[in-house]
Amino acid sequence: MADNPLARSQSTSDARFEATAAALESITDAATDHSADPRQTVHAPANHDRSHKWLQKIFPQSSLETWESKMHMGNYVIDRQTGAKAFEPMSIYVRVGMHALYYGSEQEKALHWKRTLDLLERQSRKMGAEYDKPESTAHIPAFIQSFQLQPGLAELKQPDPSKYPTFNAFFARELKESARPVEQANDPKVVSSPADCRLSAFETVDQATKYWIKGYGFTLAKLLGSAELAQKFDGGSMVIARLAPQDYHRWHAPVAGKVASIQEIPGAYYTVNPQAINEPGTLDVFCENRRSVMTVQRSGTGSPVAIVAVGAMLVGSIKYNPGIEVGAEFQRGQCLGAFYYGGSTVIIVYPRREVTLDKDLVKNSTEQGCETLMKVGWRTGAGPV
């Protein structure tokens, strides 16, 4: 029988998908054992030797080798205060989730689309439900130790980890207001970081797609869910704030203003790790993932600002704070909402000439190709001039 390249490719892709599904199922199943150490399962670093050996048992060797030759095991970030560059390993569940983004041919993408959506949604909902159980508090001490969170506990409204009723309650922990002072709070022109995050800043959306967002299919209209709304931001600037699992997982207002609209857009649960965002030929996860698009009218200028909360792999829910609804007024630095378990992202889009982003952030994002470690309320730019 003549060799059929498409059939052979499909067979390989099927094996890769089944291995991805089995790996994710294995990780989340292990995490449901609340007596087990999560540092050996869902929070294990992907570059650990034990993680690599475990992956070798699950993935077809040809698939694993090809993929590992393309993908790193983490990301470099720049500390804004010191300028130092450091490597952050990704968690094992993020690394496994990368496989969901690589199908090969257009035929494979079409065939795998529905299966992948179902897989990631099922696993995300599973972990969300598990971490809402009272027994999930057993994972809190290991989570604190794994990500070295002990020094930051004093910043919390409830600094005693044993007082949280569930793991998700701790994951969405609240800070004392004094913990994150807003820089230049009395200057209405200054805009600030929406989260404790790894931040990328781009003077235009075109610059963002040149240096950072490499997945196919990204448009501002798709991100915002409206071509009409996207026109208001044509030529505008963009800030991407990625929250790693260890970060304080609430997001805050980058400007003062009034909520004009909120649109919930259903979608997938792909990882938002930079390895997924930066790789040409992958799906554009920002436009595919579940997200909530808030449009606000900025105080002082009346200009629209888009605040997009993007869910990600193993994120159970996106919740606004009580009172944050259409018509509500807020101040810069005020908390708007929270993500529950997993990594996530907040994207801020400003209209053209509304804001000049700080040069160091733009330089890190373009010339260095690195995210910058930021805290809620730190300055990201100012304008209009």
Side-chain angles (χ1 to χ4, degrees), residues 4-18 60 108 111-112 115:
N4 185 330
L6 179 58
R8 186 173 67 250
S9 175
Q10 182 60 46
S11 177
T12 300
S13 188
D14 282 343
R16 186 166 61 245
F17 177 87
E18 295 301 332
E108 289 176 283
L111 288 168
H112 282 283
R115 286 203 296 171

Side-chain angles (χ1 to χ4, degrees), residues 42-43 93 127 131 167-168 171 313-316 339-343:
V42 68
H43 298 311
Y93 78 85
M127 288 305 299
Y131 280 155
F167 180 89
N168 256 337
F171 188 79
M313 191 175 175
L314 301 190
V315 169
F339 296 100
Y340 289 79
Y341 192 65

Side-chain angles (χ1 to χ4, degrees), residues 322-344:
I324 300 300
E325 56 193 21
V326 174
E329 296 184 356
F330 54 84
Q331 298 302 310
R332 178 163 65 94
Q334 182 176 332
C335 185
L336 299 179
F339 296 100
Y340 289 79
Y341 192 65
S344 40

